[in-house]
């Protein structure tokens, strides 16, 4: 049975990223991404998803980030359904990440 994705907060996302190579996929629009993003994140449109789904090793942790943590869950589910072992959706999205950075 496919693993489900997990929702994580900013602190937990930082923990995952600190463990090593993690694919952080930011699914926001390019302008928002250009204004600020999680260091090392890749900006992915819906059209880019096939590439990431097929070119990313299934054992690499994937964190999906959107604006507020809603649409990222749909993307995270796709990765989980495709057999990725560790898939996360960032709760609160980039808004929460940026707020934590400012704190
Ligand atoms: O607004 S959103 O969190 O669904 S991208």
């Amino acid at each position: 049975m496919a693993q489900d994705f997990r929702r994580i907060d900013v602190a937990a996302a930082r923990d995952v990223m600190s463990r090593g190579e993690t694919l952080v996929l930011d699914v926001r629009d390019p302008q928002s991404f250009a204004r600020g993003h999680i260091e090392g994140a890749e900006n992915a449109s819906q059209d880019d998803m096939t590439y990431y789904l097929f070119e990313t090793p299934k054992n690499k942790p994937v964190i999906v980030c959107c604006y507020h943590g809603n649409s990222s869950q749909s993307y995270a589910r796709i990765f989980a359904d495709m057999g990725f072992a560790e898939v996360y959706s960032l709760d609160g999205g980039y808004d929460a990440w940026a707020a934590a950075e400012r704190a």
Side-chain angles (χ1 to χ4, degrees):
M1 204 178 115
Q3 295 282 329
D4 206 354
F5 72 91
R6 282 194 277 158
R7 293 171 51 181
I8 53 173
D9 62 13
V10 170
R14 285 184 174 144
D15 278 354
V16 172
M17 292 167 67
S18 73
R19 290 202 325 252
E21 239 189 292
T22 303
L23 174 64
V24 181
L25 272 190
D26 187 325
V27 297
R28 297 174 303 148
D29 67 272
Q31 290 77 18
S32 300
F33 184 83
R35 280 197 294 273
H37 56 262
I38 298 173
E39 198 183 332
E42 300 191 30
N43 192 202
S45 71
Q46 205 163 345
D47 290 347
D48 298 326
M49 281 304 151
T50 311
Y51 168 81
Y52 286 107
L53 285 166
F54 286 98
E55 297 303 326
T56 308
K58 295 271 198 297
N59 59 358
K60 187 171 184 167
V62 179
I63 299 175
V64 189
C65 166
C66 64
Y67 297 92
H68 308 114
N70 297 314
S71 62
S72 54
Q73 294 181 54
S74 312
Y75 289 105
R77 179 168 307 286
I78 297 170
F79 278 87
D81 287 349
M82 285 286 288
F84 282 76
E86 248 187 280
V87 187
Y88 305 97
S89 170
L90 179 63
D91 261 356
Y94 185 72
D95 273 7
W97 182 276
E101 296 274 277
R102 287 193 298 269

